[in-house]
Amino acid sequence: MDYLELISLNIWHIVSAILNLLVLTWIVKKFLFVPVQNMLAQRQAQLDTLYTEAEEANTAAKADRAAYEEKLAGAKAEAEEIVRSATVRADRMSDQILAEAAEKASEKMRRADADIAQEKKKAINEIKNEISGMSVDIAEKVVGREIKEDDHKVLIDSFIENL
């Protein structure tokens, strides 16, 4: 018989269960659902702010990268210009150095030629003097008398010219 009590429907039990369900729903909504909704809305707002800031940072980074690449291209062009002008200057300097070296070499060759000519004249004169001295000695021995040096020089010069 106890079983019948379990199966029977008591209206007051149903009404109290429905009232309990309504009160619990209201309590959950008031104290749990609304604060959770507010917290989720705040987090969504924070995420939206973070995404916006990230997009702005990404845009700024792209702009900075474009400016960097532009400056890099300008720096490369400037470096190429510097290398080109340095090469031109180096070529000019090497041509100038070569010209100066050639000029110095030709000047030394002229001096050497002049020195050689002078030394040649000096050697010829010394040889003439030696020959004239030997000729005077030989002539003195042969003739047995002394010949004047001036006369002897004239004789030797004419002799050398005839040779």
Side-chain angles (χ1 to χ4, degrees):
M1 305 233 182
D2 288 329
Y3 298 114
L4 277 181
E5 246 180 66
L6 286 175
I7 297 178
S8 68
L9 291 176
N10 189 349
I11 240 359
W12 292 109
H13 284 180
I14 293 174
V15 170
S16 69
I18 289 175
L19 282 177
N20 281 337
L21 180 64
L22 289 175
V23 169
L24 274 174
T25 303
W26 178 79
I27 290 173
V28 166
K29 185 176 180 184
K30 175 113 174 143
F31 293 109
L32 188 63
F33 188 71
V34 172
V36 167
Q37 285 288 338
N38 290 339
M39 184 179 66
L40 288 175
Q42 287 175 350
R43 290 213 178 159
Q44 185 64 43
Q46 287 175 348
L47 284 175
D48 291 341
T49 304
L50 286 175
Y51 280 129
T52 303
E53 290 174 358
E55 282 294 322
E56 290 173 357
N58 192 17
T59 304
K62 286 180 181 177
D64 289 345
R65 182 178 180 161
Y68 168 76
E69 287 175 354
E70 184 178 322
K71 286 181 182 179
L72 184 62
K76 283 181 181 178
E78 186 177 338
E80 288 173 0
E81 177 63 27
I82 289 170
V83 167
R84 188 182 57 75
S85 68
T87 303
V88 168
R89 265 189 273 132
D91 288 343
R92 267 192 259 133
M93 287 179 68
S94 70
D95 291 343
Q96 182 181 3
I97 290 170
L98 287 173
E100 288 175 5
E103 185 179 324
K104 286 180 182 179
S106 66
E107 179 66 26
K108 286 184 180 184
M109 290 294 287
R110 277 183 271 164
R111 279 193 220 146
D113 289 342
D115 289 347
I116 288 170
Q118 187 178 5
E119 290 294 322
K120 185 177 178 182
K121 286 179 184 178
K122 194 188 265 186
I124 289 173
N125 286 336
E126 286 176 8
I127 290 173
K128 282 183 183 180
N129 288 337
E130 285 181 30
I131 290 174
S132 67
M134 286 193 292
S135 300
V136 169
D137 288 342
I138 291 172
E140 283 179 0
K141 288 182 184 177
V142 170
V143 174
R145 67 178 175 94
E146 191 173 313
I147 298 177
K148 291 182 184 172
E149 194 171 322
D150 292 333
D151 294 335
H152 184 49
K153 277 190 177 182
V154 170
L155 286 173
I156 290 174
D157 287 339
S158 66
F159 177 73
I160 291 175
E161 285 177 13
N162 288 334
L163 288 176

